[in-house]
Amino acid sequence: MARIIVVTSGKGGVGKTTSSAAIGIGLALKGHKVVLIDFDIGLRNLDLIMGCERRVVYDFVNVINGEATLNQALIKDKRVSSLSILPASQTRDKDALTKENVGKVLEELAKTFDYIICDSPAGIEAGAMMALYYADEAIVTTNPEVSSVRDSDRILGMLASRSRRAELGLEPIKEHLLLTRYSPKRVEEGEMLSVEDVVDILSIPLLGVIPESQAVLKASNSGEPVILDIESDAGKAYQDVIDRLLGETVEFRFLVAEKKGIFSRMFGG
């Protein structure tokens, strides 16, 4: 049975789509059949991060409106054959998504895929509510800043009350915390919250800590999910996230600022 995972956040610009892409391709590289769905109707960034924007012919809303089949709209990733992308529409009304028609699409996808990753818009607008409604699991993505963490706490409230599982009295959505753009040096200088601070505020299990890295921006601009950059700290951290999602116990890395050696301190290296 397919696992439906929503990647969500309260605040925009925290690396949610970057994380969706990395998690999708990471799971596919482990041999699972994965589909990534972009729920951000009107903006559409997932296809850019995945490097398939020129191949978009039909989109999520075309499928919902009966203007295309799922088979026509799904884009197969060129790097990993078991990964597909269902892009969002850039021009359509966000109200095109309803619980009924989204449910039908997810039900159809569940026949083929092991994992359905829903890349949610930020906040609590209609598209975000549609993305989380059918979720089995949620990856709450946040930066180590007070405003981002506060907004994520609000999303946790929505997950607990506005999902299908909450409506039917089923087992709650399984929640995971993904902390992005983390800089141990800035934590030491008091410029951002520590991992412990964020976990203490949100009180959900920590799935991963992604270090602040230029590799993320470089990957986004090149249409290559950063998890494929196996030399970068961010790429390694996302690989750890995948292992934890699949039930492995993996030690957390990149939580402590690197100490400079004596020569670095003397010569400013």
Side-chain angles (χ1 to χ4, degrees):
M1 192 172 176
R3 283 168 70 180
I4 302 175
I5 302 176
V6 62
V7 181
T8 184
S9 72
K11 194 170 182 282
V14 299
K16 189 166 28 55
T17 300
T18 293
S19 298
S20 297
I23 290 164
I25 207 161
L27 287 169
L29 285 167
K30 291 282 189 178
H32 300 282
K33 294 198 74 177
V34 183
V35 60
L36 280 164
I37 308 178
D38 191 345
F39 273 81
D40 205 349
I41 307 298
L43 290 178
R44 200 177 88 192
N45 286 314
L46 183 61
D47 54 302
L48 287 168
I49 300 282
M50 294 298 296
C52 63
E53 69 276 10
R54 292 190 185 90
R55 296 166 60 202
V56 177
V57 178
Y58 294 110
D59 57 52
F60 195 0
V61 177
N62 290 135
V63 174
I64 279 170
N65 289 341
E67 297 159 352
T69 65
L70 260 177
N71 196 50
Q72 288 176 296
L74 287 172
I75 300 169
K76 280 205 176 231
D77 188 81
K78 288 183 175 179
R79 295 155 295 214
V80 191
S81 61
S82 59
L83 176 65
S84 296
I85 299 98
L86 181 57
S89 170
Q90 275 188 312
T91 58
R92 305 291 185 125
D93 184 355
K94 295 182 182 187
D95 293 334
L97 303 185
T98 67
K99 289 177 184 176
E100 291 72 27
N101 57 38
V102 169
K104 286 177 184 174
V105 172
L106 294 177
E107 190 178 340
E108 193 63 30
L109 290 170
K111 295 174 184 176
T112 305
F113 295 95
D114 304 317
Y115 288 89
I116 299 171
I117 310 295
C118 304
D119 180 29
S120 169
I124 55 172
E125 59 163 74
M129 292 301 101
M130 287 300 107
L132 70 78
Y133 183 74
Y134 289 99
D136 300 311
E137 302 183 42
I139 297 173
V140 180
T141 312
T142 187
N143 292 158
E145 300 162 1
V146 172
S147 62
S148 181
V149 175
R150 181 196 61 198
D151 290 347
S152 292
D153 205 18
R154 192 174 183 195
I155 286 296
L156 289 173
M158 295 296 172
L159 290 167
S161 61
R162 297 278 294 274
S163 68
R164 178 174 174 271
R165 286 176 170 270
E167 282 183 8
L168 299 178
L170 302 174
E171 187 179 335
I173 291 174
K174 187 176 182 181
E175 297 161 342
H176 309 275
L177 173 61
L178 182 62
L179 191 56
T180 55
R181 296 180 182 165
Y182 191 73
S183 169
K185 184 172 183 292
R186 291 177 65 194
V187 171
E188 284 183 1
E189 293 168 354
E191 294 178 5
M192 60 172 54
L193 299 173
S194 69
V195 173
E196 293 77 15
D197 291 333
V198 179
V199 171
D200 188 51
I201 294 166
L202 296 179
S203 299
I204 59 174
L206 183 64
L207 178 66
V209 179
I210 311 300
E212 203 166 41
S213 171
Q214 284 297 313
V216 174
L217 180 61
K218 181 182 173 186
S220 297
N221 288 338
S222 64
E224 288 281 323
V226 71
I227 195 170
L228 297 175
D229 183 357
I230 58 174
E231 299 301 318
S232 72
D233 288 351
K236 293 171 186 174
Y238 275 117
Q239 289 166 20
D240 291 348
V241 165
I242 299 303
D243 290 338
R244 292 189 196 102
L245 259 184
L246 295 174
E248 295 182 34
T249 301
V250 181
E251 190 175 340
F252 287 92
R253 300 190 271 179
F254 317 115
L255 305 186
V256 180
E258 283 187 22
K259 301 296 181 187
K260 287 186 177 181
I262 186 169
F263 290 108
S264 294
R265 292 198 302 272
M266 287 173 62
F267 298 107

